[in-house]
Amino acid sequence: MSRKFKNLVFTAHKWLGLHFALFFVFMFLSGSILLFSDEIEALFTPEILVGSITDSERVSFGTIFQSVNKAVPGGTVFVIAKRPKAGFADRSFGKTASGKKIIAWTHPKDARVLSIGPNRSFHYFLKELHESLLVPKRIGFLAVSATSIILLISVLSGLITYRRFWRGLFRLPSPSLDKRNRQGVLHRLIAVWVTPFLLLISLTGFFFLLGGLGFNGYVPPPPEAQPREVARPAGFDGALIDRAEQAALAQ
């Protein structure tokens, strides 16, 4: 490898690091916090923590549907999520009669409503911030996903310029080095230690970028269905949901 090429790669690595370091720190922190967003939300609504519940103790989807509909007269439920996370209540997404989006938490054992709040919760806000920086969905999502390419270039350029990094991989900087050189050695070591993590982030981020651009592979078209006048059939209730659930389980 020529020294000129190595210097060019190092310059690119340094430029990317200086201009995107704060952005990546923000993305790493927001993504890490997002993993625990439900736990953070539970600090403000502790009633959604219900402890360990066995599957045999859980009520049916239909019972949850009926309970939320009763608590929100004139409203509608369109998503019911059992066991969103271990120890948490069941979570349903719906709308009020006025069209306001809500989240309803229900107890897994008896479907009583524990909490009803706006759909734009802490989890929702942090997720939107992490995925698109609150920019209109597609533009922001593509911009954030595209930085996966920058991260990948930064990782590869660092490995190219740090030759034979596997030697002394766990050898900490000598105390005899000055502060700047010690920081340089630590920077290189830590970067190599977290390289598998960074490669995983960059490759999965690139995958999301391709999906956002429409490269989703071949998806077989669904069979044609006859449109109906209303989204839900007449007499739609919790009992019908339970029958559909039992039919699905039987299959």
Side-chain angles (χ1 to χ4, degrees):
M1 183 187 301
S2 68
R3 186 163 187 82
K4 183 177 180 180
F5 175 75
K6 185 177 178 180
N7 289 337
L8 181 64
V9 173
F10 177 75
T11 301
H13 179 80
K14 184 171 65 173
W15 188 92
L16 291 174
L18 288 173
H19 289 79
F20 289 92
L22 289 179
F23 170 80
F24 285 126
V25 168
F26 169 78
M27 295 302 293
F28 295 152
L29 287 177
S30 62
S32 299
I33 296 173
L34 187 59
L35 290 174
F36 304 98
S37 59
D38 287 335
E39 285 80 0
I40 295 173
E41 195 163 330
L43 294 176
F44 304 98
T45 51
E47 58 269 22
I48 67 177
L49 292 173
V50 296
S52 178
I53 305 293
T54 63
D55 286 343
S56 61
E57 295 177 298
R58 291 183 175 275
V59 296
S60 66
F61 283 101
T63 305
I64 298 173
F65 175 83
Q66 293 290 93
S67 179
V68 177
N69 267 3
K70 184 178 179 180
V72 187
T76 183
V77 177
F78 47 84
V79 173
I80 299 174
K82 288 186 180 181
R83 291 174 300 187
K85 194 174 286 189
F88 279 77
D90 295 328
R91 179 167 51 194
S92 299
F93 297 85
K95 290 182 180 180
T96 64
S98 61
K100 180 181 178 182
K101 293 183 178 180
I102 59 169
I103 295 178
W105 296 86
T106 55
H107 199 285
K109 287 186 176 181
D110 54 19
R112 73 180 186 275
V113 176
L114 303 174
S115 174
I116 296 179
N119 188 28
R120 293 181 177 273
S121 59
F122 174 74
H123 175 90
Y124 175 88
F125 172 79
L126 192 59
K127 182 174 181 291
E128 292 295 306
L129 186 64
H130 178 76
E131 289 186 350
S132 61
L133 300 179
L134 300 180
V135 177
K137 193 65 176 179
R138 179 173 172 78
I139 299 175
F141 179 80
L142 291 177
V144 170
S145 300
T147 58
S148 62
I149 301 174
I150 297 174
L151 180 60
L152 181 60
I153 294 174
S154 182
V155 172
L156 295 179
S157 60
L159 292 177
I160 291 173
T161 56
Y162 187 17
R163 295 194 309 163
R164 299 178 181 177
F165 57 83
W166 53 90
R167 292 187 177 181
L169 192 56
F170 301 103
R171 188 184 304 159
L172 295 177
S174 171
S176 62
L177 295 174
D178 57 50
K179 183 178 179 181
R180 178 179 176 83
N181 283 322
R182 280 202 309 272
Q183 290 176 343
V185 173
L186 283 175
H187 170 81
R188 291 189 291 272
L189 285 177
I190 293 173
V192 172
W193 293 340
V194 299
T195 289
F197 173 71
L198 297 178
L199 285 174
L200 182 63
I201 291 178
S202 59
L203 292 175
T204 53
F206 183 67
F207 175 81
F208 282 120
L209 173 63
L210 292 179
L213 292 173
F215 295 95
N216 293 315
Y218 173 73
V219 178
E224 292 187 11
Q226 294 296 325
R228 56 190 182 207
E229 295 181 1
V230 293
R232 295 175 176 176
F236 184 87
D237 58 8
L240 182 59
I241 294 177
D242 286 343
R243 290 199 297 272
E245 179 183 1
Q246 292 303 317
L249 290 173
Q251 288 293 327

